[in-house]
Amino acid sequence: MRIAVTGSTGLIGSALVRSLLADGHEVVRLVRHRSRVGWQPDGTVGVGWNPHLLQIDAAGLEGVDAVVHLAGAGVGDRRWTRAYKEEIRNSRVLGTETVAGALAKLKRPPKVLVSASAVGFYGQTGDRVIDEGAPAGDDFLAGVCVQWEAAARPAEDAGIRVVHPRTGLVLAAGGGALGRMLPLFRLGLGGRLGSGGQYWSILSLADEVAALRFLIDRPTLSGPVNLTGPVPVTNAELTEALGRALGRPTVLAVPGFALQAVLGEMSVEVVGSHRVVPERLLAAGFRFRHPDADAVVRAALQG
């Protein structure tokens, strides 16, 4: 297949590209730098775009079989100032509008657009088990996710199958939340965050990539599909799993007020709770390689 990917240099995107190339697929990267346009040494093809200006080289997408749209500013990369919150929103909404609008006008459009979303769609859900039928939340990230998904409507209206993978917390030693936490845990300074009772819907990077490819290949799946592990765990349970895997104590804890002081509004996501389950993914026949916290942590530490 010929598959286009945005966000191809991020944690998930780079792993997805490696997986696709290893299986002989042709990968088209949407890139912002001119030096990366055209054939690249890794065998991929770069196609130019500038999502903030709603610009894209649509001709380079003619004939692709699928598009996986992952691009967006990192939610945890910076403190949530007013300007950075706009960057989080615009990078997702404008990027999706650019991709979906271009695909809708192609002479040979792809069969499927896998357009990223997140479990933040549901807002803070406490200890309630949440599947794809739950409504949107009412906090900042929920509002972003609603707009993010809606921005793909032009592709759907053009007859392209659109899937919104609402991804949870992907654990990998090379980046993301775990990449930031690991140095402290290796030193024996890791511990629960806040009360530790908040649910985190985690999954391994390998399962995230496999699930994205599953969505490409399953013509019966469209709309929202939760990409989380089958068993949500609390922050305290994940902390214990990390301690076991590393052979380090995890008796320390960071109180909620300290997280608020350091992270500001973003601390809501750290101490908030998302007990989200992948009902549609499981019903469609997907099987997780790493179904529980210990397996996810082992996979992350093994690289």
Side-chain angles (χ1 to χ4, degrees):
M1 297 177 70
R2 188 166 183 255
I3 300 172
V5 182
T6 78
S8 65
T9 59
L11 175 67
I12 297 170
S14 58
L16 174 63
V17 169
R18 288 194 299 271
S19 174
L20 292 170
L21 291 175
D23 285 343
H25 298 290
E26 181 182 345
V27 175
V28 176
R29 298 180 187 261
L30 271 73
V31 297
R32 298 183 65 175
H33 299 286
R34 290 187 178 182
S35 62
R36 296 179 180 173
V37 172
W39 285 100
Q40 300 298 306
D42 63 358
T44 63
V45 180
V47 169
W49 80 319
N50 187 329
H52 286 284
L53 297 178
L54 299 177
Q55 295 175 346
I56 191 168
D57 178 10
L61 298 177
E62 283 285 0
V64 298
D65 299 293
V67 177
V68 182
H69 172 45
L70 303 172
V75 170
D77 288 358
R78 301 180 197 171
R79 192 180 178 94
W80 285 2
T81 62
R82 181 179 298 179
Y84 195 63
K85 286 170 72 173
E86 281 304 298
E87 173 65 15
I88 289 172
R89 185 190 310 275
N90 289 340
S91 66
R92 287 161 171 76
V93 176
L94 297 181
T96 305
E97 287 178 356
T98 302
V99 170
L103 297 182
K105 297 175 183 177
L106 293 179
K107 295 179 181 178
R108 294 174 294 161
K111 293 181 174 64
V112 58
L113 167 62
V114 178
S115 187
S117 186
V119 295
F121 177 94
Y122 305 108
Q124 302 304 321
T125 60
D127 61 0
R128 291 181 293 119
V129 177
I130 298 298
D131 62 22
E132 291 88 350
D138 58 4
D139 59 16
F140 167 68
L141 284 185
V144 170
C145 288
V146 169
Q147 291 181 286
W148 193 7
E149 294 183 12
R153 182 63 59 81
E156 186 176 352
D157 290 343
I160 299 169
R161 177 170 64 94
V162 175
V163 191
H164 296 292
R166 292 176 179 167
T167 295
L169 183 62
V170 178
L171 296 189
L178 183 60
R180 298 185 184 95
M181 294 162 56
L182 267 182
L184 289 176
F185 275 85
R186 293 188 192 279
L187 292 171
L189 301 176
R192 60 178 171 79
L193 303 177
S195 71
Q198 67 271 33
Y199 279 91
W200 285 11
S201 297
I202 63 172
L203 76 164
S204 70
L205 181 58
D207 279 332
E208 170 74 5
V209 169
L212 289 171
R213 295 190 57 175
F214 186 87
L215 297 181
I216 293 172
D217 294 336
R218 289 299 184 280
T220 57
L221 284 175
S222 61
V225 179
N226 293 335
L227 265 57
T228 66
V231 183
V233 299
T234 64
N235 171 257
E237 291 169 339
L238 178 59
T239 297
E240 292 170 2
L242 279 166
R244 284 193 296 271
L246 294 169
R248 294 291 188 270
T250 56
V251 295
L252 301 178
V254 182
F257 70 83
L259 290 168
Q260 169 66 30
V262 173
L263 301 176
E265 185 180 352
M266 189 174 66
S267 66
V268 173
E269 290 302 306
V270 175
V271 299
S273 188
H274 301 96
R275 195 176 184 181
V276 180
V277 294
E279 181 173 298
R280 296 193 67 204
L281 197 62
L282 291 172
F286 183 81
R287 294 295 176 262
F288 286 86
R289 290 175 57 188
H290 309 113
D292 56 46
D294 287 306
V296 171
V297 167
R298 285 195 301 270
L301 296 180
Q302 291 167 3

